[in-house]
Structure formats: structure tokens, C-alpha cells
Amino acid sequence: MDFVRGRVLPTLALVTGLVGSVQLSDLYWLEYNLQMGDVAKDLTAGTVGGAAQLIVGHPFDTIKVKLQSQPTPLPGQLPRYSGAIDAVKQTVAAEGPRGLYKGMGAPLATVAAFNAVLFTVRGQMETLLRSHPGAILTINQQIVCGAGAGIAVSFLACPTELIKCRLQAQSVLAGAGTATVAVKYRGPMDVARQVIRSEGGIKGLFKGLVPTMAREVPGNAAMFGVYEALKQLLAGGTDTSGLDRGSLMLAGGLAGAAYWLTVYPTDVVKSVIQVDDYKNPKFSGSIDAFRRISASEGVKGLYKGFGPAMVRSVPANAACFLVYEMTRSALV
């Protein structure tokens, strides 16, 4: 594709100027079709890659949210979950293995839109930042592309994350010591209906937009920057087209880890804001949540669920980037 842009189009332009056999509008139309082809590839590959990421990583994400959203124990009391393994055991005992996939419906239903936007916006920003067709972007430019993609996906991620977190955390918020799980929400659509009806309409679905954006922008900047830097390091140069699957998985997995290392405390704040009670809120906003968590639990409180998040990020993002690259390459 870059070869066509970098070599074929200039050649056609030269021929046009010499013999007038090709109209200039035809060249613009060809360039437009090439760009639309790239968009279609990013849309398709991003969708398939996102599905792979979700299937591999969702159980880890469920445990992360449960640990993040469990209430702070009173003095002398033990927390609901002593750690990630204990959270897995209690979840499976109370809800069965399906409990680990609680809340998957919302992200699965929107994974196409989310990853299509993420990879397509990133691809279009790459096009804008290139000095000429086919130019290799610097790592700093890739970071800018990731940040821009993060802004775009925040508006899709926020309502999806709110629904997912409400479903994942409802058993935790129901209280400890109960043999059965109190069910407030019957599924993703029920969460959406209840929020719209009783939490301020559509605006209620965007509760936590600020911390979501504060997570997505730097997180995706770090992820795509690290991904491209590692690919070039593994390839020994800027031409990364010959990398094998193992190298792509390594780069993708470590890029996912970079995402969470960069923004994890912000994700904790986002989760507690989104599951906070609307009528009797515990936190007045993101800054208040950050301060109160830090004051009551210290820095450790801002890293609740960090283990499952990191364990999840490597295989999930390795799968996502590998499937994305393979799908895009297969789309001729």
C-alpha cells in the first residue's frame, strides 16, 4: 500500500503531465480509495483483535474490579477478599465459573466499535503525521497517535466500563457474609435502563468520563509507543514487516503491561466512581476519591487489583496485537 502511494502515484502524475492520458481527478480518487481501504482494514482488524483480547482477558478483569470496588474494612475486620486467588475462589463458589465472565456482554457488544475506533483513529493520525506517503513515523509520533486514539475511545469506553463494573462489582457491594448474591442488575441492558431512569438520563452513563479519559489518553500513548519501539528493537530497524508471531506477541504483551503501569491508580479511581451510589455517593468526584483512598488505605489502596490487571494485560494484549496484525496483513 505504501509502495503504491510512494511510487505508483507519483509515476502516474508524471505520465499525466506528459501525455494527459489520466485526469488529475482520477489520481485524487485513487488516493481516496487507498485511504478508505486502510480505514476498512483498521476497522476489521481492530474488531477481530479486540474480540481476542476480551475473550482472553475478561476473567482477570472481573477479579481486578472486585478487588478495586470492595469496601474498606472497618477497624479489626478483614477485607471481603484477601487477594486475587481468594477472589477467584469466592466468585466461583458463589456464582460458578460463569461469574468470572460477569459483565462481558457490554464490552463484547461494543468491542467492534471500541477497537475499530481505537485502531482507525490511530491509523488516520499516522497518515496525518507522515511527512510524505510511506514515511516511517518516529516513536514520539506514535505516542501522539496513541494519545489521539485514546481521546476518541474514551467516549465509547466510559458507558461500557460503567455497565461492566456495575455487573462485576454487585456481588461485592451486596455485602460480606451472605451465602447468596443479591442481584440488583439482571444484565447489561438492565444496568443501562436503571441508570438512565434513575441517575440523570443518558448523562448517567457517562459517570466517570474524566477518569476514563485520564486513563485512555496516557495509557494508549504509552501502549502504542512501547509497541512500536519494541517492534523496531526486535526487528533491528524501522522495517518491522518481517517480524514473526512470537515477536509480535512479545511486543503486544509488554505494550499492554506499559498501559497499566502508566495509569493504574486512575483506573482504580474510575472504578470506584462508576460503582458509587448515585443517591448517597461516597465520593464527590475523582479528586475526592483519590484523596480519600490515599488517606484511608495509602498508596496500596490505589493499586488494589494490580496483580490481576498485570497478569491479564500481557496475554490479552499479546492476543489483540497478534490477531490485529495477522488480520490486517490478510486483508489484501
Side-chain angles (χ1 to χ4, degrees):
M1 188 66 69
D2 291 336
F3 174 81
V4 173
R5 287 175 174 167
R7 300 291 180 83
V8 175
L9 290 181
T11 302
L12 286 176
L14 178 61
V15 173
T16 301
L18 291 176
V19 300
S21 60
V22 179
Q23 296 296 320
L24 187 59
S25 60
D26 294 334
L27 297 179
Y28 288 136
W29 180 248
L30 177 58
E31 175 69 9
Y32 173 78
N33 285 334
L34 291 173
Q35 290 179 355
M36 289 301 99
D38 282 348
V39 170
K41 287 183 177 182
D42 285 328
L43 284 168
T44 304
T47 299
V48 179
Q53 179 186 41
L54 185 64
I55 292 169
V56 171
H58 192 80
F60 299 100
D61 187 68
T62 296
I63 299 305
K64 171 182 74 72
V65 172
K66 284 178 177 287
L67 291 173
Q68 287 177 338
S69 57
Q70 65 176 329
T72 303
L74 296 174
Q77 292 185 347
L78 295 174
R80 174 71 178 274
Y81 304 118
S82 61
I85 301 300
D86 184 47
V88 172
K89 290 179 179 177
Q90 289 196 43
T91 299
V92 173
E95 306 172 59
R98 292 178 60 183
L100 296 173
Y101 284 89
K102 187 74 68 72
M104 186 173 173
L108 185 60
T110 57
V111 67
F114 183 91
N115 285 278
V117 169
L118 180 67
F119 283 97
T120 301
V121 172
R122 178 217 180 192
Q124 291 307 295
M125 289 197 68
E126 287 180 333
T127 300
L128 290 174
L129 291 178
R130 286 193 177 98
S131 57
H132 60 274
I136 302 297
L137 297 184
T138 65
I139 300 304
N140 286 338
Q141 288 174 318
Q142 291 287 356
I143 290 173
V144 172
C145 292
I151 293 173
V153 299
S154 295
F155 294 95
L156 288 173
C158 185
T160 302
E161 288 276 312
L162 183 141
I163 292 170
K164 174 180 69 68
C165 287
R166 293 282 180 96
L167 290 170
Q168 290 173 325
Q170 67 176 336
S171 62
V172 179
L173 300 177
T178 57
T180 59
V181 177
V183 177
K184 180 179 180 180
Y185 304 114
R186 295 187 300 273
M189 294 304 297
D190 188 44
V191 177
R193 281 193 294 266
Q194 290 195 43
V195 169
I196 292 172
R197 183 174 63 246
S198 60
E199 299 186 27
I202 296 295
K203 181 181 177 181
L205 292 174
F206 288 88
K207 182 180 182 181
L209 179 61
V210 172
T212 298
M213 192 169 289
R215 182 191 74 173
E216 293 295 332
V217 175
N220 281 292
M223 183 173 70
F224 284 112
V226 168
Y227 180 64
E228 293 299 330
L230 287 174
K231 284 204 305 179
Q232 292 184 20
L233 178 65
L234 292 170
T238 56
D239 182 8
T240 61
S241 60
L243 287 176
D244 58 22
R245 294 180 181 181
S247 296
L248 292 174
M249 291 180 68
L250 177 62
L254 293 179
Y259 178 103
W260 289 111
L261 283 170
T262 303
V263 300
Y264 196 81
T266 306
D267 185 67
V268 172
V269 171
K270 177 202 70 67
S271 293
V272 300
I273 289 292
Q274 290 186 321
V275 301
D276 200 13
D277 188 84
Y278 178 74
K279 295 181 180 179
N280 299 294
K282 183 178 180 181
F283 307 107
S284 62
S286 300
I287 301 300
D288 181 51
F290 180 85
R291 288 174 176 170
R292 294 183 64 176
I293 292 172
S294 299
S296 62
E297 304 176 58
V299 176
K300 183 180 179 180
L302 295 169
Y303 284 89
K304 291 186 296 186
F306 182 70
M310 292 302 293
V311 171
R312 165 191 176 272
S313 68
V314 175
N317 284 281
C320 178
F321 278 103
L322 174 63
V323 173
Y324 167 81
E325 296 282 10
M326 290 178 62
T327 303
R328 202 179 193 286
S329 298
L331 298 173
V332 181

